[in-house]
Amino acid sequence: MRRISGLCGAFLIALLATSCGGGDSTGIGGGGGGGGGGGGGGGGGCPANTFCMTAATFSPSARTVTAGATVTWTNDSGTPHNVMWDNGAAASAGAGDGTGNIDTFSSGSHTRVFTAPGTYNFHCSIHGTPTSGMRGSVTVQ
């Protein structure tokens, strides 16, 4: 009985090690497997033409788009943010679902379509200024 108990324990340990990434696909190799997903670096998890808002940054902080492209600001952080343009030219360059600044929001997305080439700097007035903190830019080519 003691031998059966020992074999069951060894089997259970082997089964757990394989299901936690300790074996290869055959269940007999040493493989290193496992590991987690990890976060995206440098805006890797943020879709093209999108600025993702974290607790205190725009990610990425700069995007280059073609004229007529839709640019999206997405806030899934739960932290209130806004998008304030550093110059008046951005208000006339943006169309889409509205022009001008994007009012404070804690979740969801807002878009702008940029039709005029140029570089448009913006910041979150809650967490930054035009020269420091939470800020970014859109370059339209």
Side-chain angles (χ1 to χ4, degrees):
M1 187 67 160
R2 184 176 209 160
R3 184 177 182 120
I4 292 173
S5 173
L7 287 173
C8 287
F11 176 75
L12 182 59
I13 289 171
L15 180 64
L16 288 173
T18 300
S19 67
C20 292
D24 63 11
S25 62
T26 64
I28 58 175
C46 197
N49 295 351
T50 301
F51 290 96
C52 295
M53 298 172 168
T54 67
T57 63
F58 291 105
S59 177
S61 62
R63 288 268 192 208
T64 299
V65 300
T66 57
T70 299
V71 178
T72 304
W73 284 263
T74 300
N75 185 359
D76 293 329
S77 71
T79 302
H81 294 299
N82 58 31
V83 177
M84 307 299 282
W85 300 107
D86 295 352
N87 59 44
S92 62
D97 70 357
T99 57
N101 297 325
I102 298 173
D103 291 332
T104 302
F105 68 109
S106 295
S107 65
S109 298
H110 291 273
T111 60
R112 296 291 184 265
V113 177
F114 287 86
T115 55
T119 297
Y120 304 98
N121 298 313
F122 58 89
H123 66 281
C124 170
S125 67
I126 302 167
H127 301 102
T129 69
T131 59
S132 68
M134 188 171 179
R135 62 185 189 214
S137 67
V138 176
T139 300
V140 181
Q141 297 180 333

mmCIF file of all heavy atoms in Angstrom, residues 108-132:
data_model
loop_
_atom_site.group_PDB
_atom_site.id
_atom_site.type_symbol
_atom_site.label_atom_id
_atom_site.label_comp_id
_atom_site.label_asym_id
_atom_site.label_seq_id
_atom_site.Cartn_x
_atom_site.Cartn_y
_atom_site.Cartn_z
ATOM 1 N N GLY A 108 -13.396 54.481 -22.298
ATOM 2 C CA GLY A 108 -13.895 54.609 -23.656
ATOM 3 C C GLY A 108 -12.879 55.238 -24.585
ATOM 4 O O GLY A 108 -11.694 55.324 -24.275
ATOM 5 N N SER A 109 -13.366 55.680 -25.753
ATOM 6 C CA SER A 109 -12.494 56.220 -26.791
ATOM 7 C C SER A 109 -13.102 57.454 -27.435
ATOM 8 O O SER A 109 -14.323 57.616 -27.455
ATOM 9 C CB SER A 109 -12.265 55.166 -27.884
ATOM 10 O OG SER A 109 -11.627 54.034 -27.379
ATOM 11 N N HIS A 110 -12.222 58.283 -27.960
ATOM 12 C CA HIS A 110 -12.616 59.445 -28.753
ATOM 13 C C HIS A 110 -11.728 59.466 -29.992
ATOM 14 O O HIS A 110 -10.568 59.074 -29.925
ATOM 15 C CB HIS A 110 -12.448 60.744 -27.966
ATOM 16 C CG HIS A 110 -13.418 60.881 -26.848
ATOM 17 N ND1 HIS A 110 -14.669 61.420 -27.019
ATOM 18 C CD2 HIS A 110 -13.339 60.519 -25.545
ATOM 19 C CE1 HIS A 110 -15.314 61.399 -25.868
ATOM 20 N NE2 HIS A 110 -14.526 60.848 -24.954
ATOM 21 N N THR A 111 -12.262 59.926 -31.113
ATOM 22 C CA THR A 111 -11.492 59.951 -32.358
ATOM 23 C C THR A 111 -11.459 61.346 -32.958
ATOM 24 O O THR A 111 -12.325 62.180 -32.695
ATOM 25 C CB THR A 111 -12.081 58.982 -33.405
ATOM 26 O OG1 THR A 111 -13.419 59.380 -33.691
ATOM 27 C CG2 THR A 111 -12.059 57.553 -32.910
ATOM 28 N N ARG A 112 -10.438 61.560 -33.779
ATOM 29 C CA ARG A 112 -10.310 62.764 -34.589
ATOM 30 C C ARG A 112 -9.747 62.326 -35.941
ATOM 31 O O ARG A 112 -8.918 61.422 -36.011
ATOM 32 C CB ARG A 112 -9.351 63.786 -33.959
ATOM 33 C CG ARG A 112 -9.818 64.346 -32.619
ATOM 34 C CD ARG A 112 -11.038 65.247 -32.794
ATOM 35 N NE ARG A 112 -11.455 65.875 -31.566
ATOM 36 C CZ ARG A 112 -12.397 65.390 -30.767
ATOM 37 N NH1 ARG A 112 -12.975 64.256 -31.027
ATOM 38 N NH2 ARG A 112 -12.744 66.059 -29.681
ATOM 39 N N VAL A 113 -10.202 62.978 -37.007
ATOM 40 C CA VAL A 113 -9.658 62.745 -38.341
ATOM 41 C C VAL A 113 -8.834 63.973 -38.706
ATOM 42 O O VAL A 113 -9.355 65.088 -38.700
ATOM 43 C CB VAL A 113 -10.775 62.515 -39.379
ATOM 44 C CG1 VAL A 113 -10.174 62.359 -40.777
ATOM 45 C CG2 VAL A 113 -11.609 61.301 -39.005
ATOM 46 N N PHE A 114 -7.554 63.768 -39.003
ATOM 47 C CA PHE A 114 -6.662 64.871 -39.325
ATOM 48 C C PHE A 114 -6.498 64.974 -40.839
ATOM 49 O O PHE A 114 -6.081 64.028 -41.491
ATOM 50 C CB PHE A 114 -5.296 64.666 -38.651
ATOM 51 C CG PHE A 114 -5.338 64.894 -37.175
ATOM 52 C CD1 PHE A 114 -5.706 63.869 -36.320
ATOM 53 C CD2 PHE A 114 -5.039 66.128 -36.650
ATOM 54 C CE1 PHE A 114 -5.767 64.081 -34.949
ATOM 55 C CE2 PHE A 114 -5.098 66.360 -35.281
ATOM 56 C CZ PHE A 114 -5.469 65.326 -34.431
ATOM 57 N N THR A 115 -6.831 66.145 -41.384
ATOM 58 C CA THR A 115 -6.786 66.331 -42.832
ATOM 59 C C THR A 115 -5.627 67.208 -43.286
ATOM 60 O O THR A 115 -5.210 67.125 -44.434
ATOM 61 C CB THR A 115 -8.109 66.957 -43.321
ATOM 62 O OG1 THR A 115 -8.343 68.165 -42.598
ATOM 63 C CG2 THR A 115 -9.275 65.994 -43.083
ATOM 64 N N ALA A 116 -5.103 68.049 -42.391
ATOM 65 C CA ALA A 116 -4.028 68.973 -42.765
ATOM 66 C C ALA A 116 -2.680 68.472 -42.248
ATOM 67 O O ALA A 116 -2.548 68.157 -41.065
ATOM 68 C CB ALA A 116 -4.314 70.362 -42.198
ATOM 69 N N PRO A 117 -1.663 68.395 -43.131
ATOM 70 C CA PRO A 117 -0.327 67.990 -42.674
ATOM 71 C C PRO A 117 0.212 68.944 -41.607
ATOM 72 O O PRO A 117 -0.105 70.134 -41.596
ATOM 73 C CB PRO A 117 0.524 68.061 -43.949
ATOM 74 C CG PRO A 117 -0.465 67.909 -45.068
ATOM 75 C CD PRO A 117 -1.705 68.622 -44.577
ATOM 76 N N GLY A 118 1.011 68.402 -40.709
ATOM 77 C CA GLY A 118 1.619 69.197 -39.652
ATOM 78 C C GLY A 118 1.835 68.343 -38.420
ATOM 79 O O GLY A 118 1.492 67.160 -38.385
ATOM 80 N N THR A 119 2.426 68.933 -37.397
ATOM 81 C CA THR A 119 2.627 68.262 -36.114
ATOM 82 C C THR A 119 1.739 68.946 -35.091
ATOM 83 O O THR A 119 1.783 70.174 -34.937
ATOM 84 C CB THR A 119 4.101 68.310 -35.674
ATOM 85 O OG1 THR A 119 4.873 67.599 -36.646
ATOM 86 C CG2 THR A 119 4.291 67.653 -34.310
ATOM 87 N N TYR A 120 0.944 68.155 -34.422
ATOM 88 C CA TYR A 120 -0.042 68.658 -33.462
ATOM 89 C C TYR A 120 0.291 68.099 -32.083
ATOM 90 O O TYR A 120 0.200 66.891 -31.855
ATOM 91 C CB TYR A 120 -1.448 68.264 -33.904
ATOM 92 C CG TYR A 120 -1.743 68.746 -35.303
ATOM 93 C CD1 TYR A 120 -1.618 67.900 -36.394
ATOM 94 C CD2 TYR A 120 -2.100 70.073 -35.529
ATOM 95 C CE1 TYR A 120 -1.855 68.350 -37.683
ATOM 96 C CE2 TYR A 120 -2.338 70.535 -36.812
ATOM 97 C CZ TYR A 120 -2.214 69.664 -37.882
ATOM 98 O OH TYR A 120 -2.440 70.123 -39.158
ATOM 99 N N ASN A 121 0.712 68.988 -31.186
ATOM 100 C CA ASN A 121 1.077 68.595 -29.825
ATOM 101 C C ASN A 121 -0.136 68.719 -28.912
ATOM 102 O O ASN A 121 -0.956 69.627 -29.065
ATOM 103 C CB ASN A 121 2.210 69.472 -29.306
ATOM 104 C CG ASN A 121 3.462 69.318 -30.147
ATOM 105 O OD1 ASN A 121 3.881 68.209 -30.454
ATOM 106 N ND2 ASN A 121 4.047 70.429 -30.531
ATOM 107 N N PHE A 122 -0.221 67.802 -27.958
ATOM 108 C CA PHE A 122 -1.336 67.805 -27.016
ATOM 109 C C PHE A 122 -0.853 67.362 -25.653
ATOM 110 O O PHE A 122 0.256 66.834 -25.508
ATOM 111 C CB PHE A 122 -2.474 66.889 -27.517
ATOM 112 C CG PHE A 122 -2.048 65.456 -27.743
ATOM 113 C CD1 PHE A 122 -2.104 64.513 -26.719
ATOM 114 C CD2 PHE A 122 -1.580 65.048 -28.980
ATOM 115 C CE1 PHE A 122 -1.712 63.200 -26.924
ATOM 116 C CE2 PHE A 122 -1.190 63.734 -29.198
ATOM 117 C CZ PHE A 122 -1.250 62.809 -28.172
ATOM 118 N N HIS A 123 -1.664 67.573 -24.651
ATOM 119 C CA HIS A 123 -1.345 67.124 -23.292
ATOM 120 C C HIS A 123 -2.640 66.882 -22.535
ATOM 121 O O HIS A 123 -3.710 67.318 -22.946
ATOM 122 C CB HIS A 123 -0.475 68.151 -22.557
ATOM 123 C CG HIS A 123 -1.168 69.450 -22.301
ATOM 124 N ND1 HIS A 123 -1.334 70.424 -23.267
ATOM 125 C CD2 HIS A 123 -1.773 69.933 -21.183
ATOM 126 C CE1 HIS A 123 -1.986 71.445 -22.763
ATOM 127 N NE2 HIS A 123 -2.279 71.185 -21.484
ATOM 128 N N CYS A 124 -2.536 66.168 -21.429
ATOM 129 C CA CYS A 124 -3.638 66.006 -20.486
ATOM 130 C C CYS A 124 -3.441 67.088 -19.435
ATOM 131 O O CYS A 124 -2.428 67.090 -18.732
ATOM 132 C CB CYS A 124 -3.614 64.619 -19.849
ATOM 133 S SG CYS A 124 -4.771 64.434 -18.466
ATOM 134 N N SER A 125 -4.388 68.012 -19.332
ATOM 135 C CA SER A 125 -4.207 69.117 -18.383
ATOM 136 C C SER A 125 -4.325 68.675 -16.932
ATOM 137 O O SER A 125 -3.959 69.413 -16.027
ATOM 138 C CB SER A 125 -5.203 70.245 -18.676
ATOM 139 O OG SER A 125 -6.525 69.815 -18.414
ATOM 140 N N ILE A 126 -4.813 67.461 -16.705
ATOM 141 C CA ILE A 126 -4.905 66.928 -15.338
ATOM 142 C C ILE A 126 -3.547 66.411 -14.874
ATOM 143 O O ILE A 126 -3.179 66.545 -13.704
ATOM 144 C CB ILE A 126 -5.962 65.808 -15.262
ATOM 145 C CG1 ILE A 126 -7.325 66.332 -15.724
ATOM 146 C CG2 ILE A 126 -6.036 65.196 -13.857
ATOM 147 C CD1 ILE A 126 -8.355 65.239 -15.979
ATOM 148 N N HIS A 127 -2.774 65.816 -15.807
ATOM 149 C CA HIS A 127 -1.515 65.163 -15.450
ATOM 150 C C HIS A 127 -0.302 65.717 -16.189
ATOM 151 O O HIS A 127 0.755 65.085 -16.199
ATOM 152 C CB HIS A 127 -1.621 63.662 -15.721
ATOM 153 C CG HIS A 127 -2.729 63.011 -14.968
ATOM 154 N ND1 HIS A 127 -3.919 62.676 -15.546
ATOM 155 C CD2 HIS A 127 -2.830 62.666 -13.659
ATOM 156 C CE1 HIS A 127 -4.717 62.141 -14.634
ATOM 157 N NE2 HIS A 127 -4.089 62.130 -13.484
ATOM 158 N N GLY A 128 -0.444 66.856 -16.819
ATOM 159 C CA GLY A 128 0.698 67.402 -17.546
ATOM 160 C C GLY A 128 0.465 68.827 -18.002
ATOM 161 O O GLY A 128 -0.571 69.435 -17.731
ATOM 162 N N THR A 129 1.451 69.320 -18.723
ATOM 163 C CA THR A 129 1.426 70.653 -19.318
ATOM 164 C C THR A 129 1.976 70.495 -20.743
ATOM 165 O O THR A 129 2.452 69.419 -21.108
ATOM 166 C CB THR A 129 2.317 71.632 -18.536
ATOM 167 O OG1 THR A 129 3.695 71.270 -18.729
ATOM 168 C CG2 THR A 129 1.993 71.643 -17.048
ATOM 169 N N PRO A 130 1.985 71.563 -21.529
ATOM 170 C CA PRO A 130 2.588 71.439 -22.855
ATOM 171 C C PRO A 130 4.075 71.086 -22.838
ATOM 172 O O PRO A 130 4.608 70.608 -23.834
ATOM 173 C CB PRO A 130 2.375 72.828 -23.470
ATOM 174 C CG PRO A 130 1.156 73.353 -22.783
ATOM 175 C CD PRO A 130 1.273 72.828 -21.374
ATOM 176 N N THR A 131 4.752 71.291 -21.710
ATOM 177 C CA THR A 131 6.201 71.039 -21.655
ATOM 178 C C THR A 131 6.631 69.913 -20.732
ATOM 179 O O THR A 131 7.806 69.568 -20.691
ATOM 180 C CB THR A 131 6.939 72.327 -21.240
ATOM 181 O OG1 THR A 131 6.453 72.746 -19.958
ATOM 182 C CG2 THR A 131 6.731 73.433 -22.273
ATOM 183 N N SER A 132 5.712 69.332 -19.957
ATOM 184 C CA SER A 132 6.109 68.249 -19.052
ATOM 185 C C SER A 132 4.925 67.349 -18.727
ATOM 186 O O SER A 132 3.774 67.729 -18.931
ATOM 187 C CB SER A 132 6.716 68.822 -17.757
ATOM 188 O OG SER A 132 5.709 69.484 -17.014
#
